[in-house]
Amino acid sequence: MESIWWHIFDILGTAAFAYSGALVAVSRRMDIFGVFMLSAATAVGGGIVRDMLLGNVPPVAFRTSLYGGIIIAAMAGAMVTVWNIRAKRRFSRMMAALFWLYTICDAVGLGAFSVTGTLLGCHYYPQYGLFAVMLGVWTAIGGGIIRDVFAAKIPFVFRKEVYATASVLGCVVLTGCFYTSFLSLPPASVLACTVTIAVRLLAVKRHWNLPLIHRKRHRPYFFR
Amino acid sequence: MESIWWHIFDILGTAAFAYSGALVAVSRRMDIFGVFMLSAATAVGGGIVRDMLLGNVPPVAFRTSLYGGIIIAAMAGAMVTVWNIRAKRRFSRMMAALFWLYTICDAVGLGAFSVTGTLLGCHYYPQYGLFAVMLGVWTAIGGGIIRDVFAAKIPFVFRKEVYATASVLGCVVLTGCFYTSFLSLPPASVLACTVTIAVRLLAVKRHWNLPLIHRKRHRPYFFR
Amino acid sequence: MESIWWHIFDILGTAAFAYSGALVAVSRRMDIFGVFMLSAATAVGGGIVRDMLLGNVPPVAFRTSLYGGIIIAAMAGAMVTVWNIRAKRRFSRMMAALFWLYTICDAVGLGAFSVTGTLLGCHYYPQYGLFAVMLGVWTAIGGGIIRDVFAAKIPFVFRKEVYATASVLGCVVLTGCFYTSFLSLPPASVLACTVTIAVRLLAVKRHWNLPLIHRKRHRPYFFR
């Protein structure tokens, strides 16, 4: 999997998620180390668990300082962004722009990591198709889950709009192409990444939601 | 460990925990994906970490779609249960029935997973008896811990009645039988599972609690 | 790495962290099992994840009952400490003494685990210098992160004073000595441990803090 394609998707996803993690950390008033940790957890946390699930130790993220560099650059970008917002008068307009910047970065990270995880799953254990899909989804959403657990919140992927579903669609497309040989891997990767990003952005734009099981608040007394 | 006995306990525990996890998620107003994730975390989360501790990758839960099927069936069951409760007039009576249904399922999962974890520990690293016990306990309570971390709560196993203790007893019984060859593994497994379930249900019925270290609220000022 | 030096640092760190974890758990009104679990999570949680990152299974902490013994002794110590505090009249003076006891134990654990993690990283994968540093830092702070996640709090290492930074300094010193052969490993370990403890205690004494990115509360509306 040491192809140039894999690395492009990996770097793209790392940068996008590091930026989104740093934005959350800055908004939570963490110190510089906290911002770095949350940013790193979002960007490489999913990949570290992915490598532990694959038995591929030490995790790729620890083998080179490339990821550290990407994360520090993304942190700097996020700080500049937040400082700019605070300096500007037209707050609501800036916030709308920032919202879309954040959402697009996040969707790009989701698509790119769905592809890298699925490719690794297919490469290491081609006999388990389900594993490739699950690994792709975990790589894409795991970083965000770890970030939210560290921020002591319910992981938003469990309650928000079509997020993991977009990743599942991309992973299924890529795994399907791998097993049926319908497309070779580079175009299939681009296709899967595009599907995930498109579904995710459309879901935000059009307010798609998965059905809740029930809407009214109703908490049986035996769960505290 | 690929015996039929191991699989029976494994499927039993998975179904029971998936059902309990789905009940919690539905009561937390998660969407369908969130219910699936919480249900899956409870049912196979402990087992995935167990396999990572054993170096047994990819984790068993990702090798077959059997677990996915069990979880989806349990989710459907939990949704039907909650819908039924809301439709019924006699709320308090239904809740009492549901409480016992939940408690019994949970105890069955606890007993079954204590057995599967201990058996795997004894099988992979027979030289470390303590490891087998710890692995059994983790497999049994790990799913619930992960579920509570994802729900942003203090894991209830740290504060509730005799829960992990029941699992420890079962695991010690099974590990003891394994090392002393007092019983062969199938009857010892049934015995250990029964011990865990009985201790757990008795603890709920009779309100057994482990002693708190101190009852009054008392938080030294240096812990925030 | 099976040298006597490694074990001395390991036992020192385990005892110090088990004590600190038990203090937190007692202050959170957990039952005896909860205190044991939180104490164990703090003392060996970082090391278990470290061993999973190294592919060194089963984790060292499960191979011997030594760690269990240390944790139980530390629990007993923490309970006695808390009971003593509640019995004494001169509360504020006792609390100040306890605060320094806690801070010193915690700093000792931080220094000792920075050393053990870095040594293992250098030993297993000498080709990845960054990995050794990251492994040392994770071993030192991972237990505290896991403890705080289980206590449903934001890990304090993300918001507090110079804590992880002290560990990073120690790990860099030790990794530097390893690669440059400037000192042999035993004196380098003592040096790195001393650096970490000294920086950490000075930071508490002099109220050093890393800069916050911004001080005023400012939470963009799109993060909930």
Side-chain angles (χ1 to χ4, degrees), chain A residues 24 28 30 37-38 41-42 49 138 141-158, chain B residues 37-38 41 145-155, chain C residues 138 144-156 158 224:
Chain A
V24 172
R28 285 270 178 285
M30 294 184 170
M37 281 298 286
L38 213 65
T42 315
V49 176
W138 170 262
I141 69 173
I145 291 177
I146 293 172
R147 180 196 64 202
D148 290 344
V149 165
F150 280 177
K153 300 189 303 176
I154 295 184
F156 89 111
V157 68
F158 293 168
Chain B
M37 281 298 286
L38 213 65
I145 290 177
I146 293 173
R147 179 196 64 203
D148 289 344
V149 166
F150 280 177
K153 300 190 302 177
I154 295 184
Chain C
W138 170 261
I145 291 177
I146 294 172
R147 179 196 64 201
D148 290 344
V149 165
F150 280 177
K153 299 190 302 177
I154 295 184
F156 90 111
F158 293 167
R224 253 129 319 183

Side-chain angles (χ1 to χ4, degrees), chain B residues 106-129:
Chain B
D106 198 54
V108 169
L110 192 74
F113 275 2
S114 298
V115 167
T116 61
T118 307
L119 286 178
L120 281 178
C122 291
H123 182 73
Y124 273 69
Y125 299 101
Q127 68 272 41
Y128 304 124

Side-chain angles (χ1 to χ4, degrees), chain A residues 195-212:
Chain A
V195 165
T196 301
I197 295 174
V199 170
R200 172 65 191 146
L201 290 182
L202 274 171
V204 174
K205 182 79 186 161
R206 308 222 167 149
H207 301 286
W208 288 346
N209 275 289
L210 287 183
L212 289 178

